């Protein structure tokens, strides 16, 4: 089993590494990953040991709760902002007091530490201001020393040690100046005057807090895509209760409720339209740039926007069971995993902080042995502690992963793990299922051919009766044809599905088989040489379904499924990227060859689900890294066998379990986007890891004073600034992934745009039908529409009022729909000529009147 937790208090990669180690040590835990950015802890276990896990994490000094919280980062960002509001002004005042006299800026005499008589009181003021900054940022000390004394030091430990060393040495200096002040020993005062390093401690704390704030703000931006998705769900919904519309909170919405959808509303749950129709903008979920027309029986997804119509829909999934929340969970799960390339950074992070402390102490001792002053040596040690940045190592991978998976989600591409993301960059072959992946998956019957003595109604009756019990995509057009010809459906006995071949059963004592030629020939001796079988060979490029009654072939149907324009575009781009493209299908040779020739790809026909698996395994053994793209149901074995399995589904019905990547939109160009995005994300991860290692490899030696002979040193203030900027740079580099843009329209989008223009003129009629249907559903409480008058030229509320006055003067009871450019009439004399004349006299164009 798998569980998610939210851990707070982690500040660097050493923290996340420690949490991971302690959780892995819990008996029953088989694996876990920690995300430093979100605080998400994902644990796999043999049994529920949640209590033991939480206890182990608390013992390490962190807070933990079940579930994942996206608000954690925002809360931390606001807390850091409050600290900065106090720390920055205090630091600036301290810098003014301590540095002003050195650079010629006038400072009040009693605050001038360079004036002998004011040196002691001025130094006390500096100490007091520094102490105030320490109190404001005391979290570094509380957490840092707790971890240090527990022998698990982290970044806070380095900051706390550096700031404490600087402050304590400053206090020691104040004490020595005080002794000189009260004893009149001016030489002693002059000796320690230049050793007041309070501004160093204050700057370390303030600049690191600035860096942490910017880092947290940037990290929260990487989570922007997930928060944007969550923001799509409305707070309330309108439901029908006893025929009346009632507004309810989303939390009170239940499966089976009838939801009212009006122009411009956000769909509150996954639902199926019961009556009415309209356009749905699915861009936020699927990335489709053009609204899709939806009518009765079609499914709608939470968070999409309904417009241009009116509908009543039945809720089928609510709350956390909706597609929207499933998408969010998938993105969160992906971000709680790690890419294999990050393992090296994890290993380094585990020993990084102790190593830095050892280097700082060694540098301090070495410089003292070499005869340098204690002030110089302590500055070196503080610089080493502060400049070291385990944060950059810890953020390198999750920052890029969060930004990349979030961007992918915006395009309807859900990548389930960091490992899958890394594998996408090495894909060399793409294997595609045909039906529903390359084609629309909406087959149409082009012809029906019958054997002698078999009637069309008898043939359709048996075919539809069998298909009624099947879930295969080819069943729908068969059933629709039978219904259109009023052919009855009969009960079937001993129904059975034979994967990759067909279906069979018994009706009235007759044994029936419906499927491919090989399937029916098993019970039809000599059927291969029959006239009907020979005739079917002429059906070039079509899928042929044969019906066998007992031991005779009764006839066949030719079925065609159109290739999606986006499939041609996607195959062309994949080949341009150097990928080998192979199409697998259970269709006959003729149908498969027609599609393959049109796309110019390799193909294998007559393939069963097991054969697809074998083909993928064979390609993998040949050295190819395969991405298998299919519907995720019949293709599950092949999806699992491939390096990367991609389930492609028309909006929501997607097989999440067997795939590494889920393509919400039924569009093959998303495969191209996925591969390109994967490469860009992994390049970003490598850039971040390089920067993290390079930064530490260069600046730690400089901070140690290795290059002091060349005049190159690093004081604590600049060290803290460099440390802060290193983390910010890593996160900002990851944020570049949010700027990635793909072409707005695939070939399918362009087709949809054309359909949109064609159907746009039908919106008003659709809305009217929806309202009429809804009126019936609501009962007598709604006024019945007697007529609809279409009017052109209405532009504003004044126009609306003018037309309402015209209706009233004509004795008509109704209302004006400005957006629909029409008037709904409930009662009155429907004299078309009088109405036309009155409307035109008012300055508008009478289009037509529809009487109900």
């Amino acid at each position: 089993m798998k569980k998610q937790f939210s851990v707070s208090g982690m500040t660097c990669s050493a923290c996340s590494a420690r949490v991971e180690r302690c959780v892995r040590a819990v008996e029953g835990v088989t694996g876990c990953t920690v995300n430093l950015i979100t605080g998400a802890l994902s644990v796999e276990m043999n049994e529920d040991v949640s209590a033991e896990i939480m206890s182990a994490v608390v013992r390490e000094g962190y807070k933990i709760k079940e579930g994942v919280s996206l608000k954690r980062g925002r809360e931390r960002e606001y807390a850091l902002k409050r600290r900065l509001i106090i720390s920055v002004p205090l630091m600036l005042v301290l810098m003014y007091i301590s540095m002003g006299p050195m650079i010629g800026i006038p400072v009040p005499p009693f605050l001038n530490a360079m004036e002998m008589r004011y040196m002691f009181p001025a130094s006390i003021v500096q100490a007091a201001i520094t102490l105030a900054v320490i109190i404001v940022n005391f979290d570094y000390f509380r957490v840092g020393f707790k971890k240090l004394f527990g022998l698990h030091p982290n970044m806070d430990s380095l900051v706390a040690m550096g700031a404490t060393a600087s402050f304590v040495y400053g206090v020691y200096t104040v004490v020595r100046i005080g002794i000189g002040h009260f004893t009149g020993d001016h030489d002693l005062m002059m000796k320690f005057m230049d050793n007041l390093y309070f501004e160093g401690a204050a700057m370390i704390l303030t600049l690191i807090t600035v860096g942490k704030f910017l880092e947290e703000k940037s990290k929260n931006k990487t989570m922007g895509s997930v928060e944007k998705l969550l923001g799509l769900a409305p707070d309330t919904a309108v439901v029908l209760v006893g025929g009346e519309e009632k507004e309810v909170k989303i939390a009170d919405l239940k499966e089976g409720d009838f939801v009212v959808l009006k122009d411009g509303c956000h769909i509150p749950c996954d639902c199926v339209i019961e009556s009415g129709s309209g356009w749905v903008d699915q861009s936020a979920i699927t990335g489709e740039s053009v609204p899709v027309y939806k009518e009765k029986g079609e499914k709608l997804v939470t968070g999409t926007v309904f417009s241009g119509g009116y509908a009543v829909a039945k809720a089928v999934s609510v709350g956390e069971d909706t597609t929207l929340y499933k998408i969010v969970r998938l993105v969160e799960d992906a971000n709680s995993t790690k890419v294999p390339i990050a393992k090296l950074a994890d290993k380094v992070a585990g020993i990084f902080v102790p190593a830095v402390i050892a280097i700082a102490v060694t540098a301090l001792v070495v410089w003292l042995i070499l005869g340098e002053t204690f002030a110089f040596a302590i500055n070196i040690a503080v610089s080493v502690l502060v400049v070291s940045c385990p944060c950059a190592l810890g953020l390198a991978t999750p920052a890029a992963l969060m930004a990349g998976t979030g961007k992918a989600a915006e395009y309807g591409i859900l990548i389930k793990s960091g490992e899958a993301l890394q594998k996408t960059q090495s894909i060399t072959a793409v294997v595609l299922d045909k039906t529903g992946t390359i084609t629309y998956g909406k087959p149409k019957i082009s012809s029906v051919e019958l054997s002698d003595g078999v009637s069309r109604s008898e043939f359709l009756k048996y075919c539809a009766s069998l298909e009624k019990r099947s879930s295969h995509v080819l069943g729908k057009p068969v059933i629709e044809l039978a219904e259109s010809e009023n052919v009855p459906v009969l009960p079937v006995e001993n129904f059975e599905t034979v994967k990759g071949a067909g279906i069979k059963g018994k009706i009235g004592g007759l044994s029936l088989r419906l499927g491919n030629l090989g399937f029916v020939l098993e019970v039809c001796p000599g059927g291969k040489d029959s006239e009907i079988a020979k005739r079917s060979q002429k059906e070039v490029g079509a899928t042929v379904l044969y019906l066998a009654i007992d031991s005779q072939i009764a006839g066949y149907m030719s079925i065609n499924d159109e290739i999606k324009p986006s499939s041609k575009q996607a195959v062309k781009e994949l080949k341009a990227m150097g990928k080998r493209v192979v199409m697998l299908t259970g269709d006959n040779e003729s149908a498969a060859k027609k599609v393959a020739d049109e796309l110019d790809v390799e193909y294998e026909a007559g393939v069963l689900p097991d054969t697809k698996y074998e083909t993928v395994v064979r390609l993998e053994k040949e050295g190819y890294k395969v991405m298998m793209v299919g519907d995720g149901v019949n293709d599950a074995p092949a999806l699992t066998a491939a390096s990367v399995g991609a389930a492609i589904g028309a909006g929501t019905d997607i097989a999440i379990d067997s795939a590494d990547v889920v393509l919400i939109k039924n569009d093959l160009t998303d495969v191209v986007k996925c591969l390109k995005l994967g490469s860009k994300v992994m390049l970003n991860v490598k850039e971040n890891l390089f920067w993290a290692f390079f930064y530490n490899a260069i600046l730690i030696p400089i901070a140690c004073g290795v290059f002091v002979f060349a005049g190159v040193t690093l004081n604590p203030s600049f060290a803290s600034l460099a440390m802060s900027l290193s983390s910010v740079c890593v996160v900002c580099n990851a944020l570049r992934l949010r700027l990635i843009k793909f072409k707005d329209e695939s070939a399918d989008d362009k087709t949809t745009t054309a359909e949109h223009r064609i159907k746009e003129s039908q919106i008003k009629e659709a809305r009217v039908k929806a309202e009429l249907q809804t009126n019936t559903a609501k009962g007598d409480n709604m006024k019945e529409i007697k007529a609809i008058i279409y009017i052109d030229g209405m532009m504003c509320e004044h126009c609306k009022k003018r037309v309402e006055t015209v209706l009233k003067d004509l004795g008509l009871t109704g209302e004006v729909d400005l957006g629909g450019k029409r008037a709904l009439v409930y009662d009155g004399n429907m004299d078309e000529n009088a109405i036309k004349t009155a409307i035109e006299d008012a300055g508008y164009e009478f289009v037509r009147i529809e009487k109900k």
Side-chain angles (χ1 to χ4, degrees):
M1 64 183 299
K2 188 174 183 179
K3 265 199 170 184
Q4 295 266 6
F5 301 86
S6 184
V7 181
S8 58
M10 297 187 295
T11 57
C12 68
S13 58
C15 295
S16 57
R18 185 64 202 167
V19 169
E20 197 167 310
R21 279 200 298 273
C22 80
V23 172
R24 286 183 185 275
V26 174
E27 188 175 351
V29 172
T30 56
C32 75
T33 54
V34 181
N35 187 304
L36 179 60
I37 292 181
T38 63
L41 166 63
S42 179
V43 184
E44 292 181 5
M45 43 189 138
N46 294 324
E47 55 184 314
D48 192 353
V49 288
S50 300
E52 291 84 346
I53 289 169
M54 296 175 77
S55 296
V57 172
V58 169
R59 281 197 300 271
E60 294 298 325
Y62 304 98
K63 294 179 181 177
I64 182 173
K65 63 181 181 180
E66 289 194 41
V68 177
S69 173
L70 291 173
K71 294 181 179 180
R72 185 196 71 87
R74 297 292 179 193
E75 292 169 357
R76 181 164 168 76
E77 179 186 327
Y78 298 145
L80 289 168
K81 186 176 181 178
R82 288 192 294 270
R83 282 160 57 176
L84 281 179
I85 290 172
I86 301 172
S87 299
V88 171
L90 288 174
M91 185 197 73
L92 292 175
V93 171
L94 180 60
M95 293 292 292
Y96 166 66
I97 295 171
S98 61
M99 306 294 291
M102 300 180 189
I103 57 177
I105 298 176
V107 173
F110 65 92
L111 294 177
N112 190 343
M114 297 188 74
E115 289 282 343
M116 191 64 66
R117 57 178 174 164
Y118 296 119
M119 187 182 295
F120 179 58
S123 64
I124 290 177
V125 171
Q126 291 185 32
I129 294 174
T130 305
L131 183 61
V133 175
I134 288 173
I135 292 171
V136 171
N137 296 282
F138 194 69
D139 273 357
Y140 291 126
F141 300 88
R142 180 179 57 80
V143 176
F145 284 120
K146 183 179 180 180
K147 297 296 180 188
L148 181 64
F149 297 143
L151 301 181
H152 305 306
N154 64 355
M155 190 216 71
D156 285 347
S157 304
L158 299 180
V159 174
M161 288 174 68
T164 299
S166 184
F167 181 73
V168 168
Y169 186 66
V171 170
Y172 169 74
T173 300
V174 171
V175 171
R176 298 295 287 173
I177 290 173
I179 292 172
H181 178 79
F182 289 110
T183 61
D185 188 346
H186 291 179
D187 289 338
L188 180 63
M189 295 175 69
M190 291 299 292
K191 179 181 177 182
F192 282 93
M193 181 179 69
D194 293 332
N195 293 343
L196 286 171
Y197 287 117
F198 289 119
E199 72 275 7
M203 281 192 72
I204 288 170
L205 295 171
T206 304
L207 290 178
I208 285 177
T209 303
V210 169
K212 282 289 179 187
F213 172 72
L214 295 175
E215 175 188 315
E216 205 67 43
K217 198 173 183 66
S218 298
K219 288 193 302 189
N220 289 333
K221 283 184 179 179
T222 67
M223 294 190 289
S225 297
V226 176
E227 292 180 332
K228 182 180 175 183
L229 283 171
L230 286 172
L232 294 174
D235 296 323
T236 60
V238 178
V239 298
L240 282 180
V241 180
E244 293 290 327
E245 292 183 5
K246 181 182 178 181
E247 188 173 68
V248 298
K249 293 181 179 179
I250 287 295
D252 298 328
L253 200 59
K254 303 183 295 295
E255 287 184 25
D257 283 348
F258 287 92
V259 181
V260 177
L261 305 175
K262 299 180 180 180
D263 193 29
C265 77
H266 279 73
I267 295 169
C269 60
D270 288 1
C271 51
V272 176
I273 295 179
E274 292 288 314
S275 65
S277 59
W279 294 88
V280 179
D281 180 357
Q282 302 180 139
S283 57
I285 302 293
T286 67
E288 293 171 286
S289 59
V290 177
V292 179
Y293 191 72
K294 299 282 187 177
E295 50 195 355
K296 185 177 178 179
E298 294 194 83
K299 194 169 183 180
L300 307 178
V301 179
T302 308
T304 54
V305 181
F306 185 84
S307 63
Y310 185 100
V312 175
K314 186 177 182 179
V316 293
S317 296
V318 298
E320 294 190 359
D321 294 327
T322 61
T323 300
L324 177 66
Y325 279 88
K326 287 177 182 176
I327 291 172
V328 170
R329 280 200 297 272
L330 273 177
V331 175
E332 287 176 346
D333 287 346
N335 289 318
S336 66
T337 64
K338 293 182 179 179
V339 292
I341 196 175
K343 290 179 180 177
L344 174 61
D346 290 342
K347 289 178 181 177
V348 172
I351 60 170
F352 185 85
V353 175
V356 167
I357 294 172
I359 292 170
V361 172
T362 301
L364 174 70
V365 172
V366 168
W367 283 113
L368 287 174
I369 292 172
L370 292 175
E372 288 292 342
T373 64
F374 185 76
F376 179 85
I378 198 69
N379 259 349
I380 289 290
V382 170
S383 295
V384 172
L385 290 171
V386 175
V387 80
S388 307
C389 188
C391 288
L393 281 172
L395 293 171
T397 299
L401 197 59
M402 177 70 81
T405 53
K407 173 55 69 173
E410 288 180 14
Y411 284 97
I413 302 167
L414 308 180
I415 300 168
K416 293 172 64 175
S417 70
E419 185 177 1
L421 183 68
Q422 182 167 332
K423 285 181 179 178
T424 58
Q425 68 169 345
S426 59
I427 294 298
T428 54
V430 179
V431 176
L432 307 172
D433 178 46
K434 181 179 80 71
T435 304
T437 301
I438 291 175
T439 62
Y440 279 109
K442 297 179 180 178
K444 296 178 182 178
I445 297 173
S446 55
S447 66
V448 176
E449 297 293 331
L450 307 169
S451 297
D452 293 338
V454 179
S455 69
R456 182 181 176 92
S457 61
E458 181 186 14
F459 177 83
L460 289 176
K461 176 176 64 179
Y462 291 139
C463 290
S465 298
L466 287 169
E467 290 291 6
K468 194 75 174 178
R469 285 149 184 80
S470 170
S471 59
H472 197 279
V473 67
L474 295 180
K476 188 176 180 182
V478 176
I479 295 167
E480 288 176 347
L481 180 60
E483 288 177 348
S484 69
E485 298 186 15
N486 297 317
V487 174
V489 174
L490 303 176
V492 179
E493 297 175 349
N494 302 329
F495 178 81
E496 185 182 344
T497 298
V498 181
K499 284 188 177 181
I503 52 180
K504 61 182 179 178
K506 284 191 173 185
I507 297 179
L510 297 174
S511 294
L512 305 173
R513 284 196 174 207
L514 181 64
N516 61 36
L517 184 59
F519 182 58
V520 299
L521 287 178
E522 290 177 7
V523 294
C524 299
K528 190 173 183 180
D529 298 322
S530 65
E531 182 188 344
I532 193 73
K534 290 177 180 177
R535 203 188 313 165
S536 70
Q537 303 305 312
K538 298 177 183 178
E539 300 290 342
V540 179
T543 300
V544 180
L545 281 183
Y546 298 84
L547 174 68
I549 301 177
D550 287 335
S551 59
Q552 299 294 321
I553 299 178
Y556 68 84
M557 291 177 285
S558 296
I559 303 177
N560 290 288
D561 192 2
E562 188 181 350
I563 297 173
K564 291 181 285 187
S566 64
S567 298
K568 298 177 184 178
Q569 179 183 336
V571 168
K572 184 178 179 181
E573 290 190 48
L574 287 170
K575 294 178 78 172
M577 292 166 66
K579 313 299 181 188
R580 181 181 177 184
V581 183
V582 181
M583 181 188 79
L584 303 182
T585 178
D587 262 341
N588 59 61
E589 175 72 20
S590 175
K593 187 175 187 304
K594 180 184 176 184
V595 174
D597 288 346
E598 195 168 337
L599 295 177
D600 188 25
V601 296
E602 301 174 47
Y603 73 95
E604 291 183 25
V607 176
L608 301 176
D610 290 345
T611 317
K612 290 182 181 179
Y613 168 82
E614 291 167 5
T615 301
V616 170
V617 171
R618 174 171 52 80
L619 288 170
E620 290 276 350
K621 286 181 178 178
E622 290 175 5
Y624 289 98
K625 296 297 182 182
V626 178
M627 172 183 264
M628 172 68 197
V629 185
D631 59 18
V633 182
N634 292 330
D635 302 316
L639 288 169
T640 305
S643 294
V644 177
I648 186 168
T652 56
D653 298 325
I654 42 185
I656 291 174
D657 292 339
S658 56
D660 303 298
V661 176
V662 177
L663 308 175
I664 295 179
K665 200 169 43 164
N666 211 339
D667 189 334
L668 271 183
T669 55
D670 286 346
V671 174
V672 179
K673 292 172 187 172
C674 178
L675 296 179
K676 288 182 176 178
L677 190 60
S679 295
K680 289 180 183 293
V681 171
M682 291 314 303
L683 176 62
N684 195 279
V685 169
K686 291 173 184 175
E687 290 171 349
N688 284 348
L689 288 173
F690 171 79
W691 167 252
F693 283 115
F694 174 80
Y695 163 86
N696 285 292
I698 295 298
L699 289 187
I700 290 178
I702 293 176
C704 285
V706 171
F707 302 103
V708 71
F709 65 89
V712 179
T713 56
L714 195 65
N715 69 45
S717 299
F718 285 112
S720 60
L721 180 62
M723 184 271 204
S724 300
L725 290 178
S726 67
S727 298
V728 174
C729 287
V730 164
V731 179
C732 287
N733 186 51
L735 283 174
R736 291 191 305 112
L737 293 169
R738 298 185 69 195
L739 303 177
I740 293 174
K741 288 186 179 180
F742 297 105
K743 292 180 181 178
D744 287 338
E745 288 190 348
S746 71
D748 284 354
D749 290 330
K750 293 173 184 175
T751 303
T752 308
T753 305
E755 291 174 355
H756 188 185
R757 294 193 186 108
I758 294 169
K759 287 187 177 180
E760 206 165 25
S761 62
Q762 302 169 2
I763 294 178
K764 296 173 188 175
E765 285 78 4
R767 291 176 69 180
V768 173
K769 289 177 184 176
E771 286 165 0
L772 288 173
Q773 290 165 342
T774 306
N775 290 344
T776 303
K778 290 181 179 179
D780 297 333
N781 291 324
M782 283 288 294
K783 294 179 180 178
E784 185 180 354
I785 299 174
K786 300 291 186 182
I788 302 163
I789 307 167
Y790 291 93
I791 306 163
D792 266 354
M794 295 190 296
M795 305 294 289
C796 64
E797 288 297 321
H798 294 294
C799 298
K800 178 181 177 181
K801 289 179 181 177
R802 197 171 298 141
V803 173
E804 285 175 344
T805 302
V806 169
L807 296 179
K808 188 176 180 181
D809 291 344
L810 288 170
L812 300 175
T813 303
E815 59 180 300
V816 176
D817 176 8
L818 184 62
K821 298 186 183 298
R822 64 187 182 161
L824 307 178
V825 181
Y826 304 126
D827 195 19
N829 181 22
M830 308 297 174
D831 185 337
E832 184 171 341
N833 290 330
I835 293 171
K836 179 176 183 295
T837 301
I839 287 173
E840 291 178 347
D841 287 347
Y844 304 101
E845 181 184 348
F846 173 86
V847 179
R848 69 180 186 280
I849 183 171
E850 288 183 2
K851 296 179 181 179
K852 303 297 175 183

